[in-house]
Amino acid sequence: METMVLLDPEHDPGTEQAPSFDQSGAKMKAVHYEGPFKVSVKEVDLPKIQHPDDVIVKVTTAAICGSDLHMYQGRTAAEAGLVFGHENMGTIIETGSGVTLLEIGDRIVLPFNVADGRCRNCEEGRTAFCTG
């Protein structure tokens, strides 16, 4: 017997059709880095597909990582204007033409070290050493 665990019990991607996505002129809220010890929440343009392997994720849950704190404290080369956030969960709302393993409506988790899944290191299970 197969067991399925849903991250969001109100949303079953197997039975629910994902809404169409129109991003023309749309905005989203984002944590915006303005300099050491200064951040704000701003309305920014929604991202756009720039590469065939890109996906756009509607973030539903996010976390703060140690590297975010290093940026916040001015301990990195981060420049003002950067949008924080790289450890999160969400739903795919758009895919590039080269995306083959994910579909609109899929719920995903984005860890700190994102791997392409296609380079030699990824294919051999060494995703922490992704060269893609």
Side-chain angles (χ1 to χ4, degrees):
M1 182 168 128
E2 184 176 308
T3 302
M4 179 182 220
V5 177
L6 297 176
L7 297 176
D8 179 356
E10 299 296 314
H11 173 89
D12 181 350
T15 60
E16 186 176 314
Q17 187 68 265
S20 61
F21 177 60
D22 176 14
Q23 65 178 355
S24 56
K27 302 275 187 184
M28 67 180 197
K29 290 184 180 181
V31 177
H32 187 263
Y33 177 69
E34 297 178 13
F37 301 100
K38 187 167 183 183
V39 296
S40 62
V41 176
K42 290 193 173 186
E43 294 278 326
V44 299
D45 292 333
L46 285 177
K48 294 178 176 26
I49 297 288
Q50 297 178 354
H51 186 273
D53 286 343
D54 287 350
V55 300
I56 300 198
V57 177
K58 179 180 179 183
V59 175
T60 58
T61 307
I64 295 174
C65 174
S67 60
D68 292 324
L69 294 176
H70 295 159
M71 285 185 273
Y72 173 74
Q73 295 166 346
R75 295 169 48 198
T76 71
E79 296 180 14
L82 177 77
V83 173
F84 276 0
H86 58 265
E87 292 191 5
N88 44 52
M89 295 187 302
T91 305
I92 294 178
I93 57 175
E94 186 176 359
T95 61
S97 61
V99 176
T100 59
L101 301 175
L102 300 168
E103 296 178 2
I104 292 174
D106 283 353
R107 302 254 318 143
I108 62 168
V109 175
L110 298 164
F112 177 70
N113 58 330
V114 178
D116 72 355
R118 297 180 181 173
C119 70
R120 181 177 178 176
N121 287 331
C122 286
E123 287 180 354
E124 293 176 358
R126 295 190 310 263
T127 56
F129 301 101
C130 175
T131 58

